[in-house]
Amino acid sequence: CCFERLSNFEIRVGNSPNFQQNEACLSNQSQFEKDVFTKTFECVLNGRYVSIQQFNSHPMNIQEIEILGYLFEECISEICPPGKYSTNTTANTSNICIDCEAGKFIATFGSTTSTCANCGAGKYASALIGASSCVNCIAGTYSTNTTANTNDTCIKCEVGKFSTTTGATTPSTCVNCGAGKYASALIGASSCVNCIAGTYWTNTTANTNDICIKCEAGKFSTTTGATTPSTCVNCSVNTYSEIVGATSISTCKNCPINSYTSRSGSSTNSSCICNAGFITLNNGECLACPPNKTSLSGSQSITSCICNAGFTGPDSGDCLACELGKYKAVTGSSPCNKCELNSNTTSINSKFKGDCICNPGYSGFDGELCSSCVVGKYKSVRSSSQINLARNCTGSINCPVIAIDVYADYYPYFVNDDRTVYSQTDSMYHSLSNQNPWLYFDLQKKVSVKKLNIF
C-alpha cells in the first residue's frame, strides 16, 4: 500500500504558524522507494512548527512522524555561540569552542566546522576574534579590504568629497559636493552643507564654509546654496550698504535727505551726492545754500554756493534780485544785463533777455529792439509783441500815448545525541486528496530540530 506514501514534498521548520513563511530544510523530495517503509531526513533548523507539504494531487499517506532534536532552551547553552565553532563530539564545556580568526565571523549557533567567513569589502568584523557579525563602514568612508576586523580599515573620503553610502566598497562612492555647497567635515564627510545666504561658491570641491564667497558691499542675497555671483543683488538707486555678505534688502540704507546716488549697488554713504543747491557736511547730511543761491550737485563747501540766475552779487556775499529793466540768464556773480532801449521787464529777478518787452507806444519782438509806433498806429500796453503788435487807428479813436501794463507768467531623510522531543505514535494514516496536501505540527515550544523519521 505504501510505496506511494509521499512524493514531491518539502519539509519546513520555523516559528510561524503560517508554515509557508518558515524556512525549508528539504525541498523537491521524490517518492519513497518500493518496499521502503521508513526514511530519515536530516533537517537542522530551530522552531516551534514542523510542516510537510506535497506538491501534486496524490493522497498524502503518512503513518508516523518522529521529530528528533532538543528543546531550544536546553541545548542553547550546550552549543557553541555565534563567532565560535567546534569539531569535538565529546565536549562537555564551552571552552572547546574555537574563536573565528581575525577578520572572520559566524552568525549561527552550534557551528561544527570552521565556517567562519570573511566580512567582505565595506565591512569589518564586530570583534577582533570570535566575531558573530560584521559592521558596515559608516557613511563618508569605504573599504576594499575583505578581512577587516576594525573600523580603522574604513578609509575616509578625501577633502572636498562626501558619501551617504554605508558599507561602501570603492572610493568612487565619494563624490564632490557641487557648486554652492561644501563637505560637512574636512575628511570623511557624509553630507554637504549649503553656503549660507549672502554667499556663493562656483567650485565643486569645497570642504569648509570659509570657501563660500561673500557678496560684496552694496549687494545682498537671500539664496542658500548659491552657485554664481549673480545671485548677489544690487541695492537700488538712492540707497547703499556697507555690509559684506548681506542677506536681506533691509541692509540697504536710504541716502540722506536731499541727496541721491548716480547708480545702484553703492557701498558707502559717500556714494550719496547732495542735490544741486545743497552742500555736503562732514556728517554726510546735505545743507541748503543761502537764499537766492545754488550749487552744482555734490558740492562740499559753502563757497560753492553762487547766485541763481536772475540774481547777482559776490560769491561770498548776499545775492540781490535783478531790478526792473534788467535780467541775468546765468548763475554766478556776473551783473544783471539791461533791457534794450524802450523795453522793460514785468518783474524783478528776470532771467532771460526775452523777459524784456517793448513799452507802450513801441513795438518789436521780445528781447529785441523796440521801435516807436508810426503815424496812424498805436500800442496801448506793455505786452509781448506776439500778443499785441501796434494797431491801426480807426474812426475817431485817438492814439493814446500810455496804456495800462499787463503781463503773464508761465511755469511739471550542537547536539551530541538524539532525543525524541515529539512523537506521534497513534495511527496517523492519512489520505488527503486535495491539490498540494499539507500537514503540520505545533510542538508547543521552540525546538532545535536535527532530523525527522517518517514511517
Side-chain angles (χ1 to χ4, degrees):
C1 69
C2 302
F3 63 90
E4 292 182 349
R5 184 167 296 157
L6 287 171
S7 61
N8 190 20
F9 64 95
E10 71 175 13
I11 300 173
R12 292 177 177 268
V13 178
N15 292 311
S16 174
N18 182 356
F19 68 89
Q20 291 176 333
Q21 292 183 358
N22 294 329
E23 186 174 355
C25 60
L26 294 167
S27 297
N28 302 317
Q29 296 299 303
S30 59
Q31 67 183 38
F32 279 35
E33 295 81 359
K34 187 175 182 179
D35 298 326
V36 173
F37 301 101
T38 303
K39 285 190 94 171
T40 298
F41 299 92
E42 299 292 334
C43 183
V44 183
L45 283 173
N46 300 323
R48 173 174 172 172
Y49 300 94
V50 177
S51 67
I52 299 175
Q53 183 173 19
Q54 188 169 273
F55 293 95
N56 50 42
S57 59
H58 298 169
M60 178 184 281
N61 299 317
I62 299 174
Q63 184 173 358
E64 182 180 334
I65 293 177
E66 189 176 52
I67 300 169
L68 305 174
Y70 283 94
L71 290 175
F72 193 75
E73 57 267 29
E74 291 178 2
C75 70
I76 196 69
S77 61
E78 301 174 17
I79 62 179
C80 290
K84 297 175 182 287
Y85 68 94
S86 175
T87 57
N88 192 314
T89 60
T90 60
N92 60 0
T93 173
S94 62
N95 292 337
I96 203 67
C97 296
I98 303 168
D99 287 319
C100 283
E101 62 188 89
K104 295 179 180 287
F105 79 104
I106 296 178
T108 59
F109 284 91
S111 292
T112 60
T113 59
S114 178
T115 54
C116 300
N118 292 330
C119 282
K123 304 175 185 288
Y124 60 92
S126 59
L128 188 60
I129 58 173
S132 60
S133 63
C134 294
V135 182
N136 282 326
C137 287
I138 62 173
T141 67
Y142 66 93
S143 175
T144 57
N145 193 319
T146 59
T147 58
N149 64 343
T150 170
N151 64 355
D152 291 341
T153 58
C154 298
I155 303 168
K156 293 181 178 180
C157 289
E158 62 185 84
V159 171
K161 294 180 180 284
F162 81 105
S163 172
T164 59
T165 306
T166 56
T169 61
T170 66
S172 63
T173 56
C174 298
V175 296
N176 292 331
C177 280
K181 303 175 185 290
Y182 59 92
S184 59
L186 187 60
I187 57 174
S190 60
S191 62
C192 292
V193 182
N194 282 326
C195 285
I196 62 173
T199 66
Y200 65 92
W201 178 237
T202 59
N203 205 312
T204 60
T205 57
N207 65 332
T208 170
N209 64 349
D210 292 338
I211 208 71
C212 299
I213 302 170
K214 293 181 178 180
C215 292
E216 59 191 47
K219 299 175 182 283
F220 68 93
S221 173
T222 59
T223 306
T224 57
T227 61
T228 66
S230 62
T231 55
C232 297
V233 181
N234 282 339
C235 287
S236 61
V237 172
N238 301 331
T239 65
Y240 68 95
S241 174
E242 298 176 340
I243 299 174
V244 174
T247 61
S248 169
I249 191 173
S250 63
T251 58
C252 299
K253 297 179 180 180
N254 290 321
C255 282
I257 296 173
N258 299 315
S259 66
Y260 69 98
T261 60
S262 59
R263 61 180 180 82
S264 62
S266 294
S267 58
T268 65
N269 66 346
S270 61
S271 300
C272 297
I273 303 169
C274 287
N275 296 332
F278 293 82
I279 58 172
T280 307
L281 299 180
N282 291 335
N283 61 2
E285 292 182 357
C286 296
L287 177 69
C289 283
N292 306 320
K293 288 193 171 189
T294 190
S295 64
L296 296 177
S297 59
S299 294
Q300 301 192 9
S301 170
I302 192 69
T303 58
S304 298
C305 293
I306 57 177
C307 291
N308 288 323
F311 292 84
T312 187
D315 293 340
S316 59
D318 295 333
C319 295
L320 301 176
C322 290
E323 300 168 351
L324 285 172
K326 294 185 177 184
Y327 68 93
K328 178 168 168 275
V330 297
T331 59
S333 60
S334 59
C336 299
N337 300 307
K338 288 183 179 181
C339 290
E340 294 288 349
L341 188 65
N342 300 315
S343 64
N344 204 348
T345 59
T346 59
S347 67
I348 61 173
N349 63 272
S350 293
K351 302 176 182 178
F352 307 105
K353 185 176 181 181
D355 291 335
C356 296
I357 302 172
C358 292
N359 293 328
Y362 291 85
S363 179
F365 292 100
D366 300 345
E368 300 295 337
L369 291 172
C370 296
S371 301
S372 60
C373 293
V374 297
V375 174
K377 294 191 176 186
Y378 73 97
K379 179 170 170 279
S380 62
V381 296
R382 178 183 295 120
S383 63
S384 169
S385 61
Q386 289 87 343
I387 297 175
N388 190 5
L389 291 170
R391 300 179 182 181
N392 291 324
C393 293
T394 58
S396 61
I397 296 176
N398 292 318
C399 290
V401 177
I402 296 178
I404 299 173
D405 289 341
V406 293
Y407 60 93
D409 290 329
Y410 302 87
Y411 294 86
Y413 158 162
F414 256 101
V415 302
N416 297 317
D417 61 347
D418 298 336
R419 299 186 215 169
T420 298
V421 294
Y422 183 91
S423 179
Q424 175 64 49
T425 56
D426 294 337
S427 174
M428 283 193 62
Y429 187 85
H430 291 279
S431 179
L432 305 176
S433 59
N434 57 302
Q435 184 70 29
N436 300 334
W438 54 266
L439 177 67
Y440 81 89
F441 304 93
D442 181 355
L443 307 182
Q444 303 300 319
K445 291 185 178 181
K446 187 175 181 181
V447 172
S448 180
V449 178
K450 181 181 179 184
K451 65 179 72 174
L452 279 81
N453 292 328
I454 299 179
F455 303 88

